[in-house]
Amino acid sequence: MKRGAIYFSGLVGLILLAALVLPRTSRAIEAHLQSEMDSTLAEKGLTDIEVHMDGQTVTFTCRSQSADEMKPCLAQDLKPAIEAAKTLPGGYGPLLGPVTRIRIAP
């Protein structure tokens, strides 16, 4: 076999392997981070804040306990949740760690 054919077959194999493994691994990491955030918010007693992980983006949403009690979510209520997202294992920042962006949904 020629050297070029060997390199080409290796590259095709690497691309196929990445296509099969990366989506499954990214979903598993996302699910793990979601459970970490859920347990951290539960430990801090922040039951009125809902968190959703989408890739490396964390979205916080305030939910009310009942329709009668429509308490708005204040910035001081979200501050501990944002700090919890920044302390997830792996760091925080645009190049480091699992969380690169934090959003607050209206």
Side-chain angles (χ1 to χ4, degrees), residues 31-49:
H32 175 70
L33 291 174
Q34 178 76 42
S35 66
E36 286 277 331
M37 277 301 302
D38 289 339
S39 65
T40 302
L41 292 178
E43 287 174 7
K44 293 183 183 262
L46 302 170
T47 56
D48 59 339
I49 297 174

Side-chain angles (χ1 to χ4, degrees), residues 24-95:
R24 182 177 178 198
T25 305
S26 66
R27 284 191 301 269
I29 291 171
E30 191 174 291
H32 175 70
L33 291 174
Q34 178 76 42
S35 66
E36 286 277 331
M37 277 301 302
D38 289 339
S39 65
T40 302
L41 292 178
E43 287 174 7
K44 293 183 183 262
L46 302 170
T47 56
D48 59 339
I49 297 174
E50 187 175 322
V51 64
H52 176 69
M53 300 291 293
D54 183 21
Q56 292 181 301
T57 303
V58 178
T59 304
F60 293 110
T61 310
C62 295
R63 59 180 173 204
S64 61
Q65 272 67 21
S66 67
D68 300 332
E69 180 186 313
M70 292 298 285
K71 184 184 102 173
C73 200
L74 303 173
Q76 62 260 27
D77 297 335
L78 286 172
K79 188 174 181 178
I82 292 170
E83 292 301 319
K86 289 182 178 180
T87 59
L88 282 174
Y92 171 76
L95 298 176

Side-chain angles (χ1 to χ4, degrees), residues 12-25:
V12 169
L14 181 64
I15 291 171
L16 286 174
L17 182 66
L20 294 174
V21 172
L22 289 179
R24 182 177 178 198
T25 305

